Amino acid sequence: TQLLEQSPQFLSIQEGENLTVYCNSSSVFSSLQWYRQEPGEGPVLLVTVVTGGEVKKLKRLTFQFGDARKDSSLHITAAQPGDTGLYLCAGANQGGKLIFGQGTELSVKP
Amino acid sequence: DAGVIQSPRHEVTEMGQEVTLRCKPISGHDYLFWYRQTMMRGLELLIYFNNNVPIDDSGMPEDRFSAKMPNASFSTLKIQPSEPRDSAVYFCASSFGTRNTEAFFGQGTRLTVV
């Protein structure tokens, strides 16, 4: 059974701080996706990483895929209140199955 | 395209009643997923279809749950009989292909079983 463990589950920080969210598994995935979910809505894709060791940047967000394609991290620089939300990592296998981690509930206080 | 459409948005039912959740995927997408989200367990994959065929239903909790996809534009998730522990937000998502493609989610159905 493929499982994704995400940490931390909850994170409360002040505006301007940096943070990192981790997503780990014992399984290899063909790709790793990061989603953000707002209350009352479904998750929305932020980024997909495909190649081991790949790094992608989206403004103040940096995403990294582990060399062995089993883990990933999301780093936010100078967090802002607008970054508040639920961040979810998701692993895809070649058969099309997409499973999610537990999520990280981020709160950025002004 | 209007995106993935789920109905109803909210459902309150009594224990023992049958519940049917509906989903219309994005036109042209060949994968459809049903997920259940709770605080305790996060976003769990229940079942997914490829070209209307169920591929993996290992996440379906028990025989009370069933899902169908009679055609490319419609899917249902049925719970019979419903129990209070089934209370959750149920999401439908669709995607195209398997090459690292984005899953598009509906707004979910919030189910409360009393």
Side-chain angles (χ1 to χ4, degrees):
Chain A
T1 303
Q2 292 182 308
L3 290 172
L4 277 167
E5 293 187 2
Q6 215 172 314
S7 62
Q9 272 192 277
F10 301 95
L11 196 51
S12 182
I13 61 173
Q14 293 295 128
E15 181 177 1
E17 292 184 8
N18 302 333
L19 67 113
T20 302
V21 178
Y22 299 94
C23 181
N24 296 296
S25 176
S26 58
S27 304
V28 176
F29 293 99
S30 61
S31 71
L32 216 298
Q33 301 175 351
W34 285 91
Y35 290 75
R36 181 178 163 184
Q37 186 178 15
E38 302 282 355
E41 303 291 331
V44 176
L45 182 71
L46 293 172
V47 79
T48 299
V49 284
V50 177
T51 307
E54 182 177 3
V55 177
K56 280 192 175 178
K57 292 193 174 184
L58 194 66
K59 297 184 182 178
R60 294 175 294 99
L61 278 60
T62 302
F63 305 85
Q64 185 161 8
F65 202 9
D67 291 340
R69 296 188 5 249
K70 294 181 179 181
D71 54 85
S72 180
S73 63
L74 157 61
H75 183 78
I76 301 179
T77 303
Q80 300 176 0
D83 295 328
T84 293
L86 179 66
Y87 290 82
L88 296 154
C89 66
N93 67 17
Q94 291 185 335
K97 188 172 185 176
L98 186 66
I99 62 168
F100 283 79
Q102 283 273 75
T104 295
E105 188 74 55
L106 173 64
S107 174
V108 183
K109 301 186 187 318
Chain B
D1 202 317
V4 176
I5 300 173
Q6 289 186 247
S7 64
R9 286 295 309 275
H10 302 274
E11 176 81 39
V12 180
T13 190
E14 290 186 347
M15 183 174 65
Q17 296 297 306
E18 176 181 301
V19 175
T20 300
L21 311 182
R22 297 172 174 79
C23 175
K24 177 177 166 49
I26 292 174
S27 176
H29 281 190
D30 56 352
Y31 280 84
L32 184 139
F33 305 84
W34 281 102
Y35 291 92
R36 176 173 69 176
Q37 188 172 40
T38 61
M39 286 290 292
M40 289 294 292
R41 301 172 70 90
L43 196 60
E44 300 174 274
L45 176 64
L46 300 177
I47 185 172
Y48 76 100
F49 296 82
N50 177 222
N51 292 322
N52 314 336
V53 176
I55 303 300
D56 186 336
D57 66 354
S58 59
M60 296 286 260
E62 47 196 274
D63 292 346
R64 297 184 297 106
F65 285 69
S66 62
K68 294 182 179 180
M69 193 165 185
N71 56 63
S73 59
F74 184 65
S75 178
T76 59
L77 177 68
K78 185 180 292 186
I79 308 173
Q80 182 187 19
S82 57
E83 296 181 4
R85 60 191 167 124
D86 302 330
S87 297
V89 180
Y90 291 80
F91 285 101
C92 174
S94 69
S95 68
F96 176 70
T98 60
R99 287 296 293 174
N100 315 314
T101 56
E102 176 179 3
F104 292 83
F105 282 77
Q107 290 191 297
T109 295
R110 180 173 294 276
L111 173 65
T112 303
V113 183
V114 298

